[in-house]
Amino acid sequence: MISLLPSSGIKNIARMAVLAAGFCFTMAAEAAAPLKIGYSDWPGWVAWQVAIEKGWFKEAGVDVKFDWFDYSASMNAFSAGKIDAVTVTNGDALVTAAGGAKNVMIIVTDYSNGNDMIVGKPGIKSLKDLKGKKIGLELGLVEHLLLLNGLQKAGLKESDVTLVNTPTNETPQALASGDLAAIGAWQPNSGEAMKRVPGAKPIYTSADEPGLIYDVLTVSPASLSSRRADWEKVVKVWAKVVDYINDPKTQPDAVKIMAARVGIKPEAYLPLLKGTRLLTLDEGKAIMVKADGFKSLYGSSKIVDDFNVKNAIYKKPQDLNKAIDPTLVSK
């Protein structure tokens, strides 16, 4: 057969065919690759370990690889594009986005229900006793916001106390040093502080303000767009996780799995789990409705966003409509 196209036309068609084949290969490779999720030591995120060990992702028809990190390292990995999703607080999801790693919150896994604490040394009985005193916490993180919220309720201002910037994992020894009247930390650091300082006790916790600290699974927009059906399957697996942990018949097995992940005994892990309010999909759906205040993920995130801008953690408010996608929990 004699070609009627010039040789240059034939070359262009061939080139286009090669490019198209390469594009299809890339798309197929992305579809075949497992979703990569970074998780860390918080009961609402360790809960995923139950699904991992029970093989529920495979049953749901989705390939998922969970990578274990220290908390800050998980956010760094997400920002570097090494993972597709990460488990963080709603406030830290906004901080990560402001730093350039845009993300979309698709599940509210839980809210802190007592595990985040302001711990006072012996003799400090309430937040009012902190007036004129030093408090050690990590400036700009959730304990800072927790303290400010508590101070406002107690009729005090931030200027009524002296904040000492203290890495969260160093708060136990900081309280033990005797230089501070209180520290702000989450479990297990808050519990360790009370062990080191006999008589120290929580004087204000996240249980006093449910919804101030929501914990979420947040996904890169590119992964959510290209693998939406797979992320919907991940969301459905979460429903099984919560049911298994909350069922009195299966909770002991779930706690055993979670405790083994972090290297402690089940009886020591159970109190940590009780300080975390795991949320079913229906409960998460109700929270992911636009409203003001801490009962809504939007309202809570707006409060955190205002806090972050005021404290120069980032300069411009984040677009919450792009930061939250409530539709996957509604499927």
Side-chain angles (χ1 to χ4, degrees):
M1 181 177 179
I2 300 175
S3 172
L4 299 180
L5 291 172
S7 60
S8 60
I10 295 173
K11 290 179 180 178
N12 285 336
I13 292 173
R15 187 179 297 113
M16 290 173 65
V18 170
L19 290 173
F23 177 76
C24 291
F25 177 81
T26 300
M27 291 293 288
E30 288 181 354
L35 299 175
K36 294 182 179 179
I37 300 174
Y39 71 136
S40 53
D41 191 359
W42 173 261
W45 306 328
V46 179
W48 289 108
Q49 194 69 32
V50 175
I52 295 169
E53 298 202 13
K54 294 295 181 183
W56 290 341
F57 292 105
K58 185 176 181 180
E59 287 180 11
V62 58
D63 190 6
V64 181
K65 182 179 184 295
F66 276 79
D67 292 325
W68 183 257
F69 294 93
D70 287 335
Y71 183 55
S72 59
S74 71
M75 291 185 286
N76 291 337
F78 180 81
S79 297
K82 295 180 180 179
I83 52 179
D84 302 302
V86 65
T87 55
V88 292
T89 68
N90 58 322
D92 286 334
L94 299 179
V95 173
T96 301
K102 297 300 181 184
N103 57 90
V104 185
M105 295 178 250
I106 63 169
I107 306 177
V108 185
T109 55
D110 64 274
Y111 61 77
S112 180
N113 195 34
N115 278 346
D116 289 82
M117 305 177 184
I118 306 301
V119 177
K121 70 178 184 179
I124 300 294
K125 299 179 180 179
S126 71
L127 290 175
K128 289 184 178 181
D129 294 335
L130 294 177
K131 187 171 184 178
K133 304 282 196 312
K134 293 181 180 179
I135 305 165
L137 50 73
E138 203 156 353
L139 296 179
L141 294 191
V142 290
E143 258 56 26
H144 188 177
L145 177 59
L146 178 67
L147 175 67
L148 295 186
N149 193 71
L151 289 176
Q152 184 180 29
K153 285 185 172 182
L156 299 176
K157 303 184 294 295
E158 185 172 4
S159 59
D160 289 324
V161 300
T162 299
L163 299 184
V164 180
N165 193 20
T166 308
T168 302
N169 64 335
E170 296 178 12
T171 51
Q173 50 266 48
L175 187 65
S177 72
D179 292 335
L180 303 173
I183 55 95
W186 56 80
Q187 289 282 23
N189 298 290
S190 52
E192 178 62 24
M194 288 184 280
K195 286 182 181 178
R196 292 196 182 203
V197 183
K201 65 178 183 180
I203 55 174
Y204 190 72
T205 79
S206 51
D208 295 307
E209 193 63 84
L212 185 143
I213 305 169
Y214 283 114
D215 299 304
V216 301
L217 176 67
T218 195
V219 183
S220 75
S223 181
L224 182 58
S225 176
S226 63
R227 305 282 297 275
R228 190 175 185 86
D230 285 336
W231 286 113
E232 288 175 359
K233 293 175 183 177
V234 171
V235 169
K236 290 179 181 178
V237 169
W238 177 252
K240 293 184 67 173
V241 170
V242 177
D243 287 345
Y244 196 81
I245 294 173
N246 286 343
D247 189 334
K249 295 179 181 178
T250 51
Q251 187 179 83
D253 183 50
V255 171
K256 181 180 179 181
I257 291 170
M258 295 169 71
R261 168 66 269 190
V262 299
I264 65 175
K265 294 181 179 180
E267 56 268 27
Y269 197 81
L270 189 58
L272 305 184
L273 181 60
K274 291 185 181 299
T276 307
R277 177 65 163 81
L278 298 180
L279 296 169
T280 66
L281 290 187
D282 283 342
E283 290 169 333
K285 180 180 177 180
I287 287 169
M288 295 178 83
V289 171
K290 291 182 181 180
D292 295 329
F294 290 122
K295 291 185 178 181
S296 161
L297 180 62
Y298 286 90
S300 176
S301 298
K302 176 64 168 61
I303 293 169
V304 178
D305 190 45
D306 291 343
F307 167 82
N308 289 341
V309 173
K310 180 180 179 181
N311 286 275
I313 297 169
Y314 48 76
K315 294 181 179 180
K316 297 181 179 180
Q318 297 300 294
D319 186 345
L320 299 184
N321 290 320
K322 293 182 178 179
I324 301 169
D325 184 347
T327 62
L328 279 78
V329 297
S330 302
K331 293 291 183 179

